[in-house]
Amino acid sequence: MNNNYIANRSKGKMKSDILKIGAMAKADKALGNHVIDATIGVFLNDDKSINTVPAVIDNLNNNVTKNVGYAPITGYPAFKEGLLKWYLKDQYEKRINEYYIPFGATLGGTGALSIAFNIFLDPSQVVLLPSIMWGNYKLIAKKAGLKHDTYQLFNSEGNFNITNLCTKIEEYSGSQSNILIVLNDPCQNPTGYSLSDEEHLRLIKKLNKLSEKVNITVIYDIAYLDYDGNNKQVHRIFNNLFNNEIKFLPVFAASCSKVFGMYGFRVGAIFTFVKDEELASNITSAIESQIRGTYSSPNGPALSCLGNALLGEDIDKLSNEIYTNTLTLKVRTTYFIDKLNEANIKHLPYKSGFFVCLPCSDAYDICEKLKEQHTYLIPIADDIVRIAVCSLNISEIDELVMVLKEVM
């Protein structure tokens, strides 16, 4: 006996555990120290309370105990309708008549990604991830039995590296009949980068060409979508896809945590738009099978409440509340970027979103030195530090920049 009860596929530790570092910050604060905690990707108000959407909270308060039974495998129809109407706005009727829309309610955006990794590739195949990424992608891939490779996120001009991504697709098209790509856009975690329309349209054109030789699925991780631009309009990412011929499969991994403030309720969705009925049926069956074989059914009460809120009479109020939140975050991140520039502290290309990244010589060493000053950031690679600006108020930003200038 060797007392080794853990299967090989479940072994391994994450080099940088965001939740663990966040817990260290909380423990430090509990000792009475003044702490700057920019670890967890949660949008906090200036008073450090969680930023929520009152219209959603009201619906939860009034209805969360009214529907505590098991939800359907892929969620309630009202949730699907409400979420698609939220994303598609005045295009909703047009798009549901043009496309079949396979859809599944999931346990957060993580659940949507996990399902996608399991249904679009076979074990031991390679999923293409961005070189700078949310580290959980690699863990999700591992648990799905996949290998991963990375495409360079930025080119030498600091723009999205379409050329390198296409090179990677061509490299694997000879050994895989299906190619799976993760594109965390807009408001990429952790850089805050968003593709421009011109970049996205060029990417679509390139992917269409490559799709003549191999099946390509692009997972658009849109967890932060509403923090990019005006949430009252259909986001350009949908318009760019709908207004052009698409020869690859676009799949959307949505999260209701960041925008609707439902972090702990674990609500998300996976969906796509296809014109082939058989393909739509096969994708739906695959989603149902994955859900049934993992968590059985999604969070019924939360789905029911959010569906009610998105289809209710207060939708304009809800939309205005979210728009106000996006403006608050924009003011905060713009201030932070300006302060970094004033201090001559370099940052990776940033457009919008929760996070900003700083390139450095030794991220782990820098983060350890910052802990000595009760400041907690996340080393996401050997040479990159991630800062969750979403969780900082203006005074903390001023303090953080001063500490960074001293340590870096």
Side-chain angles (χ1 to χ4, degrees), residues 148-340:
H148 76 272
D149 196 358
T150 58
Y151 60 89
Q152 290 300 311
L153 183 62
F154 298 122
N155 59 24
S156 58
E157 287 79 40
N159 299 317
F160 185 77
N161 201 329
I162 296 174
T163 300
N164 185 256
L165 174 56
C166 292
T167 298
K168 290 289 184 178
I169 294 172
E170 291 176 330
E171 177 183 341
Y172 287 101
S173 63
S175 57
Q176 295 186 188
S177 57
N178 294 324
I179 301 293
L180 182 63
I181 303 159
V182 174
L183 182 62
N184 184 191
D185 189 75
C187 310
Q188 201 242 10
N189 177 0
T191 65
Y193 189 78
S194 298
L195 273 70
S196 66
D197 280 336
E198 191 250 340
E199 286 176 316
H200 192 208
L201 292 172
R202 279 201 298 125
L203 177 62
I204 288 172
K205 186 175 180 179
K206 292 281 189 180
L207 292 176
N208 279 345
K209 183 68 175 177
L210 290 166
S211 293
E212 296 173 2
K213 298 186 296 184
V214 65
N215 293 326
I216 297 175
T217 300
V218 178
I219 302 175
Y220 288 86
D221 182 350
I222 57 171
Y224 303 89
L225 180 135
D226 285 292
Y227 290 99
D228 181 63
N230 186 349
N231 71 288
K232 298 175 182 295
Q233 302 171 347
V234 178
H235 193 274
R236 52 198 172 83
I237 202 169
F238 291 110
N239 283 330
N240 290 340
L241 291 167
F242 288 137
N243 296 334
N244 290 276
E245 181 183 8
I246 302 299
K247 296 182 180 179
F248 59 93
L249 179 66
V251 176
F252 298 91
S255 169
C256 298
S257 299
K258 313 300 187 295
V259 175
F260 300 109
M262 299 180 70
Y263 300 93
F265 283 96
R266 307 309 304 138
V267 176
I270 180 173
F271 58 93
T272 184
F273 302 89
V274 297
K275 293 188 175 181
D276 182 277
E277 184 176 8
E278 183 179 1
L279 175 59
S281 177
N282 289 340
I283 293 173
T284 298
S285 294
I287 291 172
E288 291 175 344
S289 178
Q290 280 298 316
I291 292 173
R292 197 73 179 109
T294 51
Y295 50 86
S296 184
S297 67
N299 185 333
L303 294 179
S304 178
C305 289
L306 187 55
N308 289 341
L310 292 173
L311 296 177
E313 296 179 355
D314 289 337
I315 185 61
D316 288 339
K317 176 186 175 185
L318 185 154
S319 181
N320 289 334
E321 290 169 351
I322 290 176
Y323 184 61
T324 298
N325 289 344
T326 64
L327 293 179
T328 299
L329 182 65
K330 187 67 175 176
V331 168
R332 191 180 296 176
T333 55
T334 299
Y335 183 80
F336 183 56
I337 294 294
D338 288 344
K339 286 295 180 180
L340 288 177

Side-chain angles (χ1 to χ4, degrees), residues 373 401-408:
Q373 301 197 41
V401 172
M402 290 177 62
V403 175
L404 287 172
K405 189 171 183 180
E406 177 184 338
V407 173
M408 297 185 69

